Amino acid sequence: MSFSARAKAELCRTPLNRDCCAAAEAYGVLLYANSFTAREIRIITASPELARRLPRLFQRAFGFGFDQVTQAAPGAKTSLVLTEAAGIRAVFSRFGYDPVEVVAHHINLSVLEDECCRAAFLRGAFLAGGSVTDPEKRCHLELVTDHRSVCGETVALLLEMGLPEPRSTQRAGHYVIYFKRSEAIEDFFTAIGAPGAAMGMMSAKIEKEMRNSVNRRVNCDSANADKIVSAAQAQLERIRELDRTVGLENLPPDLRETALLRIANPEASLSDLALLSDPPVSKSGASHRMRRLLKYTAAERG
């Protein structure tokens, strides 16, 4: 089950305790549904939890259900349809509309006077027209409606509820409201009654930050190791040259020790060579010896 499906399943477990909130949730579903016209109300969903919830929601909000509930095959999307004229008139009337006169849908804010009803409306909007990506991959939540005014008025409603300002756009004739920040999506889920989904976003963000931190550290360590190996190879080449031209046995004792330690430990860092010295020296001391060794010439011997 996808993260989006789990979020909708969690929302569908919200009790239908109050008539006003049931109506508000149904209102959100309708304005973000596939079809909400004077001739037909049609809601198509891939969520089995929502398909089971909608008849109960409509019964609580309006006192009746749908004319048709069909599913083409097990696991396929469910279509819930209302075409009976009296039922459609009752739905329109519940939200202050006349189905004959409606030209464009707007949100009737008098239906959403209480904070619980506004949250229920947004819950319905997400259930019918919302989706969220897997936060393990990226953060993106959107609500899609066919109604331009509803899009703008939903943005205003989100701001009125103290939620972060979303972005909006038009895509293939639809109007899209979206959040791209994890914190904004967490706040949205908390507001509409999905604390589990909000926690899932937080957990995914923390895990992603930890992975990124570990990867940066590993990359840094790997880069440092590459630098150490590269420097050690250059040092070994110079030491071999000195062995041919000067002879390691002719080097000053401290430089001879450093040269022999490097030959015996070709991948060790200067810190390691400092500890291996007898007696041990500081890292700066080992670094000073190595610089002297690499610059050593036959002239110095004389």
Side-chain angles (χ1 to χ4, degrees), residues 55 63 69 72 75 96 121 131 188 214 238 283 302:
V69 177
F121 173 85
S131 63
F188 177 82
V214 170
R238 176 59 181 153
K283 179 183 177 181

Side-chain angles (χ1 to χ4, degrees), residues 3 10 135 182 185-187 189-190 194-207:
F3 185 84
E10 180 183 5
S182 174
I185 299 173
E186 292 162 18
D187 290 346
F189 277 135
T190 300
M199 287 298 298
M201 294 292 303
M202 293 180 197
S203 297
K205 178 176 64 177
I206 292 170
E207 289 176 9

Side-chain angles (χ1 to χ4, degrees), residues 61-233:
F62 311 118
F64 53 84
F66 296 89
D67 297 340
Q68 307 169 34
V69 177
T70 58
Q71 186 179 33
K77 292 183 178 181
T78 302
S79 178
L80 301 97
V81 182
L82 177 62
T83 55
E84 198 270 321
I88 291 177
R89 281 197 302 272
V91 171
F92 272 74
S93 176
R94 178 66 179 80
F95 302 120
Y97 298 153
D98 183 332
V100 177
E101 297 179 358
V102 167
V103 176
H105 282 296
H106 289 267
I107 298 176
N108 183 351
L109 293 177
S110 65
V111 180
L112 310 176
E113 291 182 349
D114 296 333
E115 184 175 346
C116 60
C117 293
R118 292 193 288 271
F121 173 85
L122 293 174
R123 180 167 58 248
F126 179 77
L127 286 170
S131 63
V132 60
T133 58
D134 185 341
E136 293 283 346
K137 299 176 182 177
R138 65 188 181 101
C139 295
H140 184 91
L141 180 147
E142 64 181 36
L143 304 172
V144 181
T145 179
D146 290 337
H147 314 294
R148 180 176 183 176
S149 298
V150 169
C151 177
E153 290 158 2
T154 301
V155 170
L157 184 63
L158 289 164
L159 295 176
E160 183 181 335
M161 293 179 66
L163 292 167
E165 183 172 3
R167 298 179 183 181
S168 59
T169 188
Q170 189 173 358
R171 183 199 304 148
H174 304 294
Y175 300 91
V176 183
I177 301 167
Y178 63 96
F179 292 109
K180 296 186 75 69
R181 292 177 54 247
S182 174
E183 295 82 359
I185 299 173
E186 292 162 18
D187 290 346
F188 177 82
F189 277 135
T190 300
I192 66 174
M199 287 298 298
M201 294 292 303
M202 293 180 197
S203 297
K205 178 176 64 177
I206 292 170
E207 289 176 9
K208 189 182 297 183
E209 289 174 352
M210 289 179 63
R211 283 198 302 272
N212 289 341
S213 176
V214 170
N215 288 338
R216 283 194 297 270
R217 189 172 303 171
V218 168
N219 291 338
C220 181
D221 291 345
S222 178
N224 288 337
D226 290 343
K227 289 179 182 178
I228 290 170
V229 170
S230 178
Q233 290 303 312

Side-chain angles (χ1 to χ4, degrees), residues 287-298:
S287 178
H288 178 66
R289 287 184 180 183
M290 185 62 73
R291 285 196 300 272
R292 285 174 55 212
L293 175 64
L294 298 180
K295 293 179 180 179
Y296 192 86
T297 64

